[in-house]
């Protein structure tokens, strides 16, 4: 039932985005009553949980605000200078929902959730340092490998430039201190790597079924709409990441993941560690594509050598035993032919904060 999926999405926002939680809770109740939300979501009644229809609805509404189409609602949205007042949020949303119901319905049906959260570059950066150094140790090299980064589900490609981001620790800034994007990684502990070694990225590429062109206003609005509007730090972080992307463009290819990955992995590079990376996309991938992707990776892993190693580095939610939590986001690393398989730690879904806690990946 669609109202239940909206309520589940609202629950996922608890303690993190009161604005989005209240909007989706009220929208779920409106769906049950057959109100304007039902008209907006017409055609999406059979959506599966992984497509997150509630967040697509919230993103479409946020975009109305960003475009200046919902002045009454804008007073609640900090991304345009507003201040949330939850008791009147739904009342002030209704005029925009009725006026733009057709536009909202088209956008909900045409879009997929694409947060492309740049904060995930923080655990990615640490994971890449570990991967490059562990692969070098297994190959009996004294210098860490250079990295070729391949991202599946790259969206707008904002996490394809981890070496051009600054990461502020207590006593120094790792990466690029002069970057437009300087993150506070909020690390507890440190990655099991020598942080004095600089990450060297010699190639990067990405694919997505629905790539976002962040060089366009439409692309920037699309990604911006999926930031929860009362999370101002995330909003500012995205602004900085878009500024960085403008100075360092990387094209994201439109392609299914397994097909694209097979093409990329057909070419091995000597003295380079190839890292396959994805973050918070697995839930959106069909079972058939998951199986195909695993097969492609397994084939490449069998061909990996000490001088042309392969790594899988992922940041995805995994179920945990605690019913109050349900799942947590973990950074997982596999290395071939070294045979290394590590759970590097866990953090918030947006990448920060993150706790380094190395255990076997089982």
């Amino acid at each position: 039932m669609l109202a239940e999926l909206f309520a589940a999405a609202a629950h996922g926002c608890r303690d993190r985005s009161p604005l989005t939680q209240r909007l989706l809770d009220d929208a779920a109740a409106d769906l049950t009553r057959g109100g304007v939300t039902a008209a907006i979501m017409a055609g999406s009644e059979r959506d599966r949980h992984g497509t997150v229809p509630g967040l697509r609805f919230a993103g479409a509404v946020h975009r109305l605000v960003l475009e200046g189409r919902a002045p009454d609602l804008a007073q609640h949205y900090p991304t345009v200078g507003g201040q949330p007042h939850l008791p009147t949020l739904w009342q002030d949303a209704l005029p925009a929902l009725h006026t733009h119901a057709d536009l909202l319905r088209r956008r909900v049906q045409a879009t997929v959730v694409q947060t492309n959260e740049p904060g995930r570059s923080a655990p990615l950066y640490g994971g890449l340092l570990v991967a490059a150094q562990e692969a070098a140790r297994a190959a009996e090299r004294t210098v860490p490998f250079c990295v070729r980064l391949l991202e599946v589900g790259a969206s707008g490609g904002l996490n394809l430039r981890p070496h051009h981001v600054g990461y502020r620790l207590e006593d120094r800034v790792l990466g690029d201190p002069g970057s437009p994007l300087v993150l506070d990684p909020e690390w507890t502990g440190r990655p099991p790597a020598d942080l004095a070694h600089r990450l060297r990225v010699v190639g990067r590429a990405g694919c997505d079924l629905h790539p976002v062109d962040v060089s366009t206003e439409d692309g920037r609005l699309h990604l911006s709409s999926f930031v929860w509007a009362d999370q101002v730090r995330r909003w500012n972080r995205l602004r900085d990441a878009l500024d960085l992307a403008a100075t360092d463009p990387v094209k994201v290819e439109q392609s299914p993941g397994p097909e694209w990955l097979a093409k990329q992995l057909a070419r091995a590079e000597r003295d380079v560690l190839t890292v396959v990376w994805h973050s918070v996309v697995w839930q959106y991938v069909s079972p058939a594509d998951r199986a195909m992707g695993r097969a492609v990776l397994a084939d490449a892993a069998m061909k990996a050598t000490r001088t042309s190693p392969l790594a899988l580095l992922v940041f995805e939610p995994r179920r945990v035993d605690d019913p109050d939590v349900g799942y947590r986001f973990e950074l997982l690393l596999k290395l071939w032919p070294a045979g290394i398989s590590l759970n590097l730690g866990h953090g918030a879904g947006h990448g920060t904060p993150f706790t380094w806690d190395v255990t076997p990946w089982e």
Side-chain angles (χ1 to χ4, degrees), residues 202-240:
V202 296
R204 59 250 171 91
C207 79
D208 199 281
L209 285 174
H210 308 279
V212 179
D213 185 353
V214 296
S215 70
T216 67
E217 180 65 15
D218 180 72
R220 291 189 292 271
L221 274 172
H222 181 69
L223 290 185
S224 299
S225 69
F226 286 111
V227 174
W228 294 335
D230 47 356
Q231 293 189 329
V232 177
R233 286 184 62 193
R234 278 186 67 208
W235 173 261
N236 291 334
R237 191 162 62 199
L238 178 63
R239 301 291 95 196
D240 293 342

Side-chain angles (χ1 to χ4, degrees), residues 13-351:
C13 300
R14 72 189 191 284
D15 303 325
R16 294 183 290 170
S17 177
L19 174 67
T20 308
Q21 180 180 9
R22 183 60 175 264
L23 177 72
L24 292 178
D25 276 335
D26 287 343
D30 189 61
L31 271 170
T32 302
R33 295 190 298 267
V36 64
T37 311
I40 292 169
M41 299 304 297
S44 300
E45 293 87 353
R46 296 181 179 272
D47 281 8
R48 60 184 178 88
H49 182 272
T51 66
V52 205
L55 295 187
R56 289 174 15 237
F57 170 85
V61 172
H62 190 191
R63 180 156 179 167
L64 282 184
V65 171
L66 295 175
E67 292 172 333
R69 298 174 186 260
D72 291 340
L73 186 56
Q75 64 184 322
H76 297 276
Y77 277 65
T79 48
V80 291
Q83 180 66 39
H85 183 249
L86 300 184
T88 60
L89 175 66
W90 187 250
Q91 174 186 328
D92 291 332
L94 283 172
L97 299 184
H98 283 287
T99 300
H100 301 289
D102 290 341
L103 174 61
L104 288 168
R105 182 172 61 252
R106 291 195 299 272
R107 286 182 172 172
V108 165
Q109 291 181 345
T111 194
V112 295
V113 175
Q114 292 188 321
T115 54
N116 202 196
E117 174 54 53
R120 294 176 190 142
S121 283
L124 170 61
Y125 181 82
L128 289 174
L129 289 177
V130 175
Q133 293 177 34
E134 287 294 332
R137 185 175 295 111
E140 299 180 338
R141 295 165 55 109
T142 58
V143 178
F145 275 96
C146 299
V147 167
R148 175 170 65 127
L149 184 59
L150 305 176
E151 185 177 11
V152 178
S155 188
L158 297 185
N159 287 315
L160 276 169
R161 42 186 72 82
H163 54 314
H164 291 321
V165 177
Y167 307 91
R168 185 181 294 109
L169 302 183
E170 292 87 348
D171 57 345
R172 55 184 152 165
V173 177
L174 304 179
D176 182 0
S179 172
L181 175 60
V182 177
L183 298 175
D184 177 0
E186 298 181 64
W187 285 348
T188 298
R190 293 290 182 266
D194 184 349
L195 301 184
H197 282 291
R198 192 174 185 87
L199 177 66
R200 295 176 297 158
V201 177
V202 296
R204 59 250 171 91
C207 79
D208 199 281
L209 285 174
H210 308 279
V212 179
D213 185 353
V214 296
S215 70
T216 67
E217 180 65 15
D218 180 72
R220 291 189 292 271
L221 274 172
H222 181 69
L223 290 185
S224 299
S225 69
F226 286 111
V227 174
W228 294 335
D230 47 356
Q231 293 189 329
V232 177
R233 286 184 62 193
R234 278 186 67 208
W235 173 261
N236 291 334
R237 191 162 62 199
L238 178 63
R239 301 291 95 196
D240 293 342
L242 291 170
D243 288 344
L244 174 58
T247 69
D248 179 37
V250 181
K251 182 176 175 58
V252 177
E253 184 176 342
Q254 184 171 18
S255 175
E259 174 185 307
W260 177 86
L261 194 58
K263 180 175 65 175
Q264 295 291 329
L265 293 178
R267 173 178 59 87
E269 293 191 16
R270 185 176 177 84
D271 296 323
V272 172
L273 171 64
T274 297
V275 180
V276 177
W277 152 257
H278 59 79
S279 66
V280 198
V281 298
W282 203 235
Q283 71 195 70
Y284 305 115
V285 179
S286 70
D289 277 352
R290 290 184 187 184
M292 291 174 60
R294 289 190 181 105
V296 168
L297 193 64
D299 181 65
M302 291 178 62
K303 299 174 183 176
T305 67
R306 282 163 41 112
T307 56
S308 297
L310 174 69
L312 173 67
L313 182 65
V314 304
F315 185 65
E316 295 286 352
R318 301 182 81 199
R319 293 195 179 278
V320 296
D321 293 334
D322 187 343
D324 293 331
V325 177
Y327 59 88
R328 68 178 184 181
F329 294 83
E330 298 181 343
L331 184 67
L332 307 170
L333 171 67
K334 285 185 182 290
L335 279 168
W336 298 277
I340 293 172
S341 184
L342 298 174
N343 183 325
L344 295 175
H346 54 88
H350 300 133

